[in-house]
Amino acid sequence: MNLQRLDKIISSQFNMSRSIARKVIRYGRVTVGDSVVHDPAFSVDPENAEISFRGQALEFKEHIYILLNKPKGVLSASEDKKRQTVVDLVPEKLKRNGLFPVGRLDRDTTGLLIITDDGDFAHNVLSPKKEIFKTYKVTLDGNVTEDIIKSFSAGITLADGTACRPAKLKALEENIAEIKICEGRYHQIKRMFGTVGLGVNELERTALGGLKLPENLAFGDCRELSKEELECIFVN
Ligand code: URA
């Protein structure tokens, strides 16, 4: 049994602060089973109890995993005073406290980004030791040669001396390539191509491990990931 305080449950599941959660409970807006509970400290097992807020039944989820097709111009951050962030794009029905993006895409990079409130999950996805490859479609200002493919697969060294792990690179069509990396250093792909004299014009993340960016998810749209989709991430 996983007993939790009622105010903690209401706050985490309905995207409200702890103090607002305490107020709505005291005002009698929350029921457990058939009874209105006025005590914010009331302990309950959220996985098994029937909890409702303003008549809306709670479908308890410890964590949430949201897939976003990141558009250009949006910051990979939880909040920012001036600029729009990826968390601002999450629709109200999926909003929760503590949401953050799993890793960062540059402002001008598009594509697959996961937003969650699960720190352990993010650590597992991002740790280079787990070797989860991130796949990108990259539009360059020149062509990828066999020599570049070989040097990327051996592991290149960035201009500042940082050694990169082996990357899988393949030419798709003129000036367009696919690259898979299992680490996420600052501007890593742009800097990798910089070492071989190629500039990156467009960058899109198309997959994370075995999870592909769905073709029907428009830029800026979000949806919750299923358990099966989450498992796909860990199968490269
Ligand atoms: N590498 C980059 O250079 N930019 C990104 O957004 C992601 C990987």
Side-chain angles (χ1 to χ4, degrees):
M1 243 212 314
N2 157 34
L3 290 180
Q4 290 185 27
R5 281 177 63 114
L6 193 55
D7 57 352
K8 180 168 181 251
I9 299 168
I10 295 297
S11 141
S12 74
Q13 303 291 304
F14 289 101
N15 184 35
M16 63 178 84
S17 68
R18 251 333 234 279
S19 66
I20 299 284
R22 280 196 284 272
K23 273 189 192 143
V24 301
I25 294 167
R26 286 199 187 103
Y27 288 161
R29 302 291 192 266
V30 177
T31 53
V32 178
D34 291 332
S35 315
V36 176
V37 175
H38 292 272
D39 177 8
F42 183 81
S43 279
V44 61
D45 175 0
E47 316 243 19
N48 294 308
E50 283 173 20
I51 302 173
S52 295
F53 167 54
R54 287 201 174 116
Q56 186 192 336
L58 169 69
E59 210 193 299
F60 180 79
K61 285 178 203 139
E62 179 147 29
H63 293 296
I64 193 161
Y65 307 90
I66 299 159
L67 173 65
L68 166 71
N69 185 357
K70 180 189 171 298
K72 281 190 183 183
V74 180
L75 209 62
S76 291
S78 299
E79 55 182 28
D80 190 85
K81 288 211 171 74
K82 294 199 180 121
R83 292 163 300 177
Q84 189 181 39
T85 72
V86 290
V87 171
D88 294 333
L89 296 176
V90 175
E92 219 37 61
K93 65 178 190 329
L94 298 178
K95 274 249 167 85
R96 284 196 179 205
N97 292 325
L99 289 179
F100 64 90
V102 178
R104 283 166 192 271
L105 293 178
D106 295 340
R107 269 185 97 182
D108 57 354
T109 300
T110 60
L112 189 161
L113 187 69
I114 293 180
I115 297 171
T116 185
D117 56 353
D118 184 350
D120 291 339
F121 166 82
H123 175 77
N124 281 334
V125 170
L126 297 176
S127 165
K129 284 194 203 125
K130 304 275 172 182
E131 297 210 322
I132 293 175
F133 278 87
K134 289 113 194 153
T135 308
Y136 295 83
K137 182 175 166 195
V138 50
T139 307
L140 300 156
D141 61 6
N143 277 314
V144 156
T145 62
E146 278 309 310
D147 282 348
I148 297 176
I149 292 174
K150 275 193 200 131
S151 63
F152 275 34
S153 105
I156 56 146
T157 302
L158 300 178
D160 65 358
T162 306
C164 294
R165 288 179 174 238
K168 301 171 191 174
L169 177 61
K170 108 174 155 198
L172 296 179
E173 52 191 276
E174 192 156 332
N175 290 4
I176 299 184
E178 181 188 85
I179 179 165
K180 290 175 186 273
I181 58 173
C182 66
E183 44 192 355
R185 299 176 192 283
Y186 180 67
H187 291 334
Q188 177 157 348
I189 291 176
K190 292 172 184 157
R191 288 156 73 208
M192 286 172 78
F193 282 105
T195 66
V196 293
L198 289 174
V200 171
N201 292 337
E202 300 273 339
L203 189 59
E204 179 188 29
R205 181 147 74 191
T206 55
L208 178 63
L211 177 71
K212 292 198 172 71
L213 178 68
E215 277 175 16
N216 59 3
L217 191 67
F219 286 130
D221 277 0
C222 286
R223 70 165 171 78
E224 206 175 339
L225 283 170
S226 67
K227 210 167 153 256
E228 293 71 30
E229 286 174 316
L230 277 175
E231 283 164 7
C232 275
I233 295 173
F234 298 94
V235 184
N236 269 313

